[in-house]
C-alpha cells in the first residue's frame, strides 16, 4: 500500500538529485537510494455543497480505504471514498467555498 511516508520518500529522492557537490556539480545519488516514483490518476472530484464538513483533518496525499467516511454535506450525508481499492486525497480544501473543489480522488496507476 502507498502511504504519505512513501510520497515523502519519492520527494526526498527527487530533492537528493538537486544537491550540489562542493565543486558546484550536481551530485549523483546511487540507484539504490532512489525510490521508484508512483503515478497517480485523479478520476473524480468532489465539490463543496451546502453543509460541507470534513469528518476529520486529512493531510495532502492521505490514503483512505474504499468506503471510508471522509466528509458530510446536507445533500448526501456522509460521503465515503468511492474508489475501488481506496484512493489518495489530493488538494483537500482548507477553506471550503460553495461550488469549488473540496478534493480530488487519486488512484495509483
Amino acid at each position: 500500500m502507498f502511504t504519505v511516508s512513501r510520497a515523502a520518500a519519492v520527494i526526498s529522492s527527487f530533492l537528493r538529485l538537486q544537491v550540489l557537490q562542493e565543486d558546484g556539480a550536481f551530485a549523483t545519488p546511487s540507484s539504490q537510494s532512489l525510490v521508484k516514483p508512483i503515478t497517480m490518476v485523479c478520476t473524480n472530484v468532489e465539490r463543496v455543497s451546502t453543509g460541507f464538513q470534513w469528518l476529520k483533518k486529512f493531510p495532502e496525499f492521505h490514503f483512505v480505504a474504499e468506503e471510508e467516511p471522509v466528509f458530510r454535506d446536507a445533500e448526501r450525508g456522509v460521503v465515503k471514498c468511492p474508489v475501488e481499492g481506496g484512493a489518495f486525497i489530493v488538494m483537500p480544501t482548507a477553506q471550503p467555498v460553495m461550488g469549488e473543489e473540496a478534493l480530488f480522488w487519486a488512484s495509483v496507476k
Side-chain angles (χ1 to χ4, degrees):
M1 180 186 319
F2 299 101
T3 62
V4 172
S5 61
R6 167 75 186 209
V10 170
I11 292 168
S12 295
S13 292
F14 171 77
L15 292 176
R16 281 195 296 272
L17 289 174
Q18 308 310 308
V19 176
L20 295 176
Q21 296 181 13
E22 288 182 26
D23 65 359
F26 282 105
T28 305
S30 67
S31 60
Q32 294 86 2
S33 69
L34 298 176
V35 176
K36 184 180 178 193
I38 60 174
T39 301
M40 292 184 184
V41 178
C42 291
T43 54
N44 302 27
V45 63
E46 298 285 357
R47 297 200 178 272
V48 175
S49 62
T50 304
F52 178 89
Q53 181 181 20
W54 293 108
L55 295 179
K56 67 179 186 178
K57 184 174 179 164
F58 291 99
E60 181 74 34
F61 300 113
H62 180 79
F63 183 84
V64 292
E66 181 179 357
E67 296 298 315
E68 182 177 338
V70 176
F71 67 92
R72 72 169 39 111
D73 64 27
E75 283 180 27
R76 299 183 290 170
V78 174
V79 177
K80 301 174 182 177
C81 174
V83 180
E84 184 178 338
F88 291 91
I89 295 177
V90 177
M91 295 177 53
T93 185
Q95 298 177 332
V97 175
M98 185 70 78
E100 292 190 4
E101 295 86 0
L103 69 106
F104 293 88
W105 300 111
S107 56
V108 176
K109 187 175 180 181

